[in-house]
Amino acid sequence: NVGIGTIVGSAVFNILVIIALSAAASKQSLLIDWRPLTRDCLFYIASILAMTGFMADGEIGWVESLLLVVIYALYIAFMTRNQDIFRWVDRK
């Protein structure tokens, strides 16, 4: 599917370009934490897998749309507790 390849390729390109331009614009070395990258990659993989599965029959109904919105809502909920979760991860 060209559509899914375009979505995935675009997101990967945007992530890499933002990190590269941030590093190039900085006057000092940037320390990139693994936790935000891991968090975003996991949510991104979950959303792409869900979308791919939902598109298997060629259409996305309202239930599938709602589930995609729920995945996004979970991401937002995670982000509201982001610092607490990171502290918990650091203790493990």
Side-chain angles (χ1 to χ4, degrees), residues 29-62:
S29 296
L30 295 179
L31 297 174
I32 299 175
D33 192 356
W34 64 271
R35 297 170 303 178
L37 181 62
T38 302
R39 174 202 61 217
D40 292 348
C41 286
L42 290 175
F43 275 101
Y44 185 68
I45 289 167
S47 65
I48 292 298
L49 289 174
M51 185 183 70
T52 303
F54 296 158
M55 290 179 62
D57 64 356
E59 63 182 51
I60 294 181
W62 72 270

Side-chain angles (χ1 to χ4, degrees), residues 14-26 30 32:
N14 289 337
I15 290 169
L16 295 176
V17 167
I18 289 170
I19 292 172
L21 289 178
S22 297
S26 177
L30 295 179
I32 299 175

